[in-house]
Amino acid sequence: MNESRNIYDLTHDQLVDFLSELGEPKFRAQQVWNWLYTKYVTDFAEMRNLPKSLIEKLEANAVIHSATIASEEYSSDGQTKKVLFKLPDGQYIETVLMRYEKRRTLCISTQAGCAMGCVFCATGQMGFFRNLTVSEIVAQVLYFAHELALTEEHVTNIVMMGMGEPLHNYNNTLAAVDRLTDETGFNLGARKITISTVGLVPAIRRYADEQRQTPLAISLHAATDAERDKLIPINSRWPIADLMDACHYYIEKTGRRLTFEWALISGENDTIEQARALGNLLHGMLCHVNLIPLNPTAGFSGGPSSKERVDVFQAELSHYGVSSTVRVRRGIDIQAGCGQLRDRVVGNP
Ligand code: SAH
Ligand code: SF4
């Protein structure tokens, strides 16, 4: 073996095979697995119940964390922390920890950059570099799990709302979900992980067919094609009617409630007409809307809606029986949203 394996890339079975290639019995795999996913060790040398010879073999043939930290920042209230990781090939990704009451929510990335090009999004503005591997997705979580463990805290929720479109990297994203929900390892409840998608219709249908427990959020942001085309280029490929068909299919197949994300952009998608169109679209549907005043980005001239506009928009939705929550943007002072830290540290390519 002349190439180091990223150990988080391996399923439990693959870890057994890998250790057997190194001449080790099966029970060693369970020991290594426990160190990785229940103790979050970052160094093979910390795996204290392994013989020194095995630790040396692991060090020679595998790595745990292959990313380095390019920068870290805290919000002014100290409750939000954002880490920019540099990957071995020079790509950057970001992960955000949000502390809120008893929750410790991680916002993780699934791609370096994003191919979807949503005009208001800092990641969309930088373009697509590549998919993240399973280990690169999982490592973001275990990095913070390790850090939280030092203060006897743990990751309670994960949202796939960092850089990238999770369903455009379907296999690796879902393999990472499987890893993180594995009961013999990290054991996070599947319902604690939210996958957010811009609306890749075939992938939503596939996801529905797989009957997964992990909740789905749809980034809608506009309720007419004329408006959504301006904000989200892939709307021309899968217009709202197709997207809503897929959403209804998901609800029918799974019986699960869908979340719709709506970034309120002043004078753009915060009008009463959009609220009514949205009300008509979602009326009677098993769903909830998250209203998030836009986080301004360098490449987009739009700004957040005023509180009055947000209130009017929300009140109009409730006339249609559509429930919604206005989300506060946490960590806005450290640009803890959507590719913005990478922008500032690395600059746009
Ligand atoms: N690609 C996926 C997940 C990553 S983006 C998706 O689009 O859903 C996570 C969420 O942040 C999405 O709802 C996205 O629309 C939203 N978002 C992106 N840029 C934003 C901004 N500048 N202000 C507010 N929300 C934004
Ligand atoms: Fe990609 Fe989501 Fe940003 Fe759109 S909003 S560019 S899909 S990360």
Side-chain angles (χ1 to χ4, degrees):
M1 251 172 283
N2 44 21
E3 216 177 283
S4 277
R5 303 292 304 263
N6 280 96
I7 200 130
Y8 296 140
D9 272 331
L10 306 177
T11 62
H12 193 282
D13 287 351
Q14 289 168 336
L15 184 63
V16 171
D17 292 346
F18 177 62
L19 288 179
S20 108
E21 282 168 39
L22 297 178
E24 296 290 336
K26 201 170 173 181
F27 78 93
R28 292 290 181 207
Q30 190 58 44
Q31 290 177 318
V32 172
W33 191 260
N34 288 346
W35 283 113
L36 292 172
Y37 295 109
T38 69
K39 304 278 184 229
Y40 328 125
V41 302
T42 53
D43 198 335
F44 292 117
E46 293 170 42
M47 300 183 172
R48 287 189 308 274
N49 56 358
L50 303 188
K52 196 155 182 285
S53 59
L54 173 53
I55 291 178
E56 282 166 6
K57 277 192 262 182
L58 285 169
E59 284 169 343
N61 293 287
V63 291
I64 302 181
H65 284 274
S66 58
T68 53
I69 293 167
S71 80
E72 31 180 35
E73 285 186 76
Y74 292 87
S75 59
S76 49
D77 65 4
Q79 296 303 292
T80 300
K81 178 180 179 182
K82 175 155 174 162
V83 172
L84 183 71
F85 293 102
K86 185 174 187 183
L87 305 177
D89 66 346
Q91 295 297 338
Y92 291 87
I93 54 162
E94 55 192 39
T95 311
V96 181
L97 165 67
M98 290 160 283
R99 286 184 163 88
Y100 182 66
E101 293 173 350
K102 288 202 170 128
R103 261 184 270 158
R104 301 290 175 265
T105 303
L106 287 183
C107 177
I108 67 172
S109 296
T110 54
Q111 298 181 313
C114 183
M116 302 302 143
C118 305
V119 297
F120 51 84
C121 169
T123 311
Q125 290 157 17
M126 73 181 66
F128 179 66
F129 301 105
R130 67 171 174 85
N131 281 329
L132 298 188
T133 61
V134 177
S135 60
E136 287 167 339
I137 299 171
V138 167
Q140 297 170 64
V141 176
L142 290 167
Y143 172 85
F144 278 97
H146 178 257
E147 184 173 292
L148 286 169
L150 301 176
T151 46
E152 291 182 10
E153 298 169 281
H154 60 274
V155 176
T156 62
N157 300 74
I158 296 174
V159 292
M160 302 227 170
M161 294 192 184
M163 295 167 71
E165 165 51 44
L167 298 188
H168 189 218
N169 185 15
Y170 195 99
N171 292 339
N172 291 351
T173 296
L174 275 301
V177 168
D178 289 341
R179 183 68 41 77
L180 295 166
T181 55
D182 185 316
E183 287 172 10
T184 70
F186 194 69
N187 195 24
L188 186 67
R191 292 190 187 85
K192 303 292 182 185
I193 305 179
T194 299
I195 296 181
S196 178
T197 176
V198 69
L200 305 186
V201 163
I204 293 170
R205 289 179 175 274
R206 174 178 171 189
Y207 190 77
D209 286 336
E210 289 175 8
Q211 300 269 356
R212 289 172 171 276
Q213 303 265 320
T214 309
L216 202 57
I218 309 284
S219 298
L220 193 58
H221 303 311
T224 57
D225 284 325
E227 182 61 29
R228 200 164 188 263
D229 282 344
K230 287 198 274 174
L231 301 173
I232 297 177
I234 65 112
N235 193 64
S236 59
R237 181 130 171 231
W238 294 295
I240 290 172
D242 294 359
L243 176 56
M244 293 313 292
D245 280 351
C247 290
H248 284 291
Y249 181 76
Y250 171 84
I251 293 169
E252 269 165 38
K253 272 268 165 178
T254 65
R256 311 193 72 83
R257 188 177 82 154
L258 263 181
T259 300
F260 290 95
E261 304 286 326
W262 192 283
L264 283 159
I265 310 170
S266 178
E268 190 67 49
N269 63 356
D270 63 350
T271 59
I272 201 78
E273 291 78 20
Q274 282 293 317
R276 286 180 184 148
L278 181 59
N280 278 316
L281 218 50
L282 303 188
H283 174 71
M285 198 170 171
L286 185 61
C287 71
H288 187 80
V289 178
N290 282 333
L291 299 168
I292 312 135
L294 182 82
N295 206 359
T297 56
F300 181 61
S301 59
S305 304
S306 65
K307 186 171 181 318
E308 293 71 37
R309 279 281 192 156
V310 176
D311 290 346
V312 171
F313 196 94
Q314 188 174 31
E316 191 61 28
L317 283 185
S318 68
H319 289 153
Y320 290 81
V322 174
S323 67
S324 63
T325 310
V326 180
R327 300 280 169 194
V328 242
R329 294 215 66 97
R330 295 186 194 291
I332 199 160
D333 57 332
I334 53 166
Q335 274 111 37
C338 325
Q340 294 183 71
L341 177 68
R342 181 200 171 279
D343 261 9
R344 199 146 41 99
V345 176
V346 194
N348 254 319

